Amino acid sequence: MLNSTALRRQCKSAARLEIQRGGLWKCIGAIALMAIPETLLSIAVNIKMNPAMELLNQMALDETIDLSQYMEQVVTVYAYLGIFVLVSLLILSPLQFGALHFCMARAHGQQGEMGDVVIGFSRLKKYLTAIKTDLCIVLFTLLWGVPLIGGATALSIALAELVFRTTQSLNAFMGMMLLTFVLIIAAAIFVSARVMRYSAAYILLIEDENMGSWRAVRESTRLFRKRTWELFVFQMSFLGWELLSEMTMGLFGLYVFPYNNIAFIHYVDALRAPEGVECIEPSIPA
């Protein structure tokens, strides 16, 4: 197998070629089919939630806060956030799973159809698989994230307070707060790198519909064992594209999503290929 740098470039090059030769606009249309419901849901929740958020900000500046009214607005905000999470799980998760079916077809030399995006709703088994896999990954993320990030935050704040009480120096306190920030970022990066190891679970489930979500997550973790840093570098190589997507309010994400995922599918295929076997599938015929 190629070294990680050469393999990353080859996977990304193949992904770009497959998007171009397979029909760029068809690819964008398929991802838009996934993105439009998510965008509409986000807009609807923001419209409903913004009045409560503005009222909370006003009340926070008021010296005489009506606690019951304040808590009522807090409950309203969290209620809308809960609705967003629930609808995302029930509707957006199957759509993203379907979009990965489309990307999988492209990565393996097939044209892929826009209808692939809604394949998660075609059968109850596929629908439940998408939801269960998302829940599994969220659970593992919390198991990693809460202790590490929470622990780093609590420890850093405790040290900062101890330093301030001991030295009574504002500069020392600010230095410890800077250290707090660094430790939290380091913990977040570590958790992100660990969580990335679960991302091949969806690919395994598309290939084998009889595989359970828990098993797929475990197999994905096993695939990236001793390759966590390599995987992190691979995904971070798309950071510039992700920032461009954010700068264009997600519009450029219609290209970034398939580009990232098709390249990642090639990367996963390469890791599973026998030594010395060419793993990058031929591009889609023109």
Side-chain angles (χ1 to χ4, degrees):
M1 189 172 67
L2 298 173
N3 65 65
S4 59
T5 302
L7 177 60
R8 182 170 65 248
R9 290 174 178 171
Q10 188 173 348
C11 291
K12 295 172 76 171
S13 177
R16 290 193 298 269
L17 185 59
E18 284 150 3
I19 291 174
Q20 295 165 6
R21 296 189 66 184
L24 175 60
W25 291 110
K26 181 180 180 180
C27 192
I28 290 176
I31 304 307
L33 189 59
M34 174 200 73
I36 288 174
E38 182 177 4
T39 302
L40 293 177
L41 174 63
S42 180
I43 291 173
V45 169
N46 281 327
I47 289 175
K48 289 291 186 178
M49 196 169 61
N50 277 344
M53 290 295 295
E54 291 176 0
L55 185 56
L56 282 175
N57 291 332
Q58 292 175 3
M59 294 174 69
L61 298 175
D62 192 352
E63 295 182 357
T64 56
I65 297 178
D66 185 338
L67 186 59
S68 61
Q69 186 180 8
Y70 185 84
M71 292 305 300
E72 181 181 343
Q73 297 305 314
V74 170
V75 170
T76 300
V77 170
Y78 278 103
Y80 282 121
L81 287 176
I83 292 172
F84 178 77
V85 171
L86 180 61
V87 175
S88 295
L89 180 65
L90 298 179
I91 297 179
L92 303 184
S93 291
L95 284 174
Q96 291 178 352
F97 192 46
L100 285 174
H101 278 75
F102 176 84
C103 293
M104 192 87 159
R106 285 299 179 96
H108 291 164
Q110 304 166 15
Q111 287 287 342
E113 300 298 333
M114 290 181 63
D116 292 341
V117 177
V118 295
I119 201 172
F121 298 98
S122 63
R123 285 185 291 137
L124 180 61
K125 184 176 181 178
K126 276 190 175 294
Y127 180 75
L128 294 178
T129 294
I131 293 175
K132 286 190 294 184
T133 305
D134 268 7
L135 287 175
C136 287
I137 293 177
V138 168
L139 176 60
F140 281 117
T141 301
L142 291 175
L143 290 175
W144 277 107
V146 172
L148 287 174
I149 298 177
T153 303
L155 177 61
S156 301
I157 293 176
L159 287 174
E161 184 177 357
L162 178 62
V163 167
F164 182 72
R165 287 183 177 181
T166 303
T167 65
Q168 295 295 313
S169 170
L170 182 59
N171 289 335
F173 177 76
M174 294 305 296
M176 289 303 299
M177 291 305 296
L178 178 60
L179 177 61
T180 297
F181 178 76
V182 171
L183 287 177
I184 293 173
I185 293 298
I189 290 174
F190 180 80
V191 171
S192 297
R194 304 296 292 186
V195 170
M196 285 178 185
R197 301 185 308 161
Y198 309 138
S199 51
Y202 300 99
I203 298 173
L204 300 176
L205 288 167
I206 293 172
E207 291 181 343
D208 183 0
E209 295 185 357
N210 295 318
M211 182 180 290
S213 297
W214 285 102
R215 182 185 167 193
V217 171
R218 290 195 301 269
E219 290 293 329
S220 177
T221 304
R222 189 176 295 112
L223 177 65
F224 295 113
R225 185 172 295 164
K226 297 182 180 180
R227 293 182 178 273
T228 302
W229 176 248
E230 181 182 315
L231 173 63
F232 182 76
V233 172
F234 181 91
Q235 294 292 15
M236 286 300 101
S237 69
F238 292 92
L239 182 60
W241 294 97
E242 296 292 347
L243 291 175
L244 185 58
S245 176
E246 292 295 327
M247 291 169 61
T248 57
M249 304 295 290
L251 186 61
F252 213 77
L254 299 177
Y255 175 82
V256 175
F257 183 92
Y259 176 37
N260 188 333
N261 283 281
I262 293 173
F264 180 69
I265 291 167
H266 280 311
Y267 176 59
V268 171
D269 289 343
L271 296 183
R272 296 188 297 167
E275 192 69 27
V277 174
E278 179 60 41
C279 56
I280 304 299
E281 295 286 341
S283 296
I284 297 172

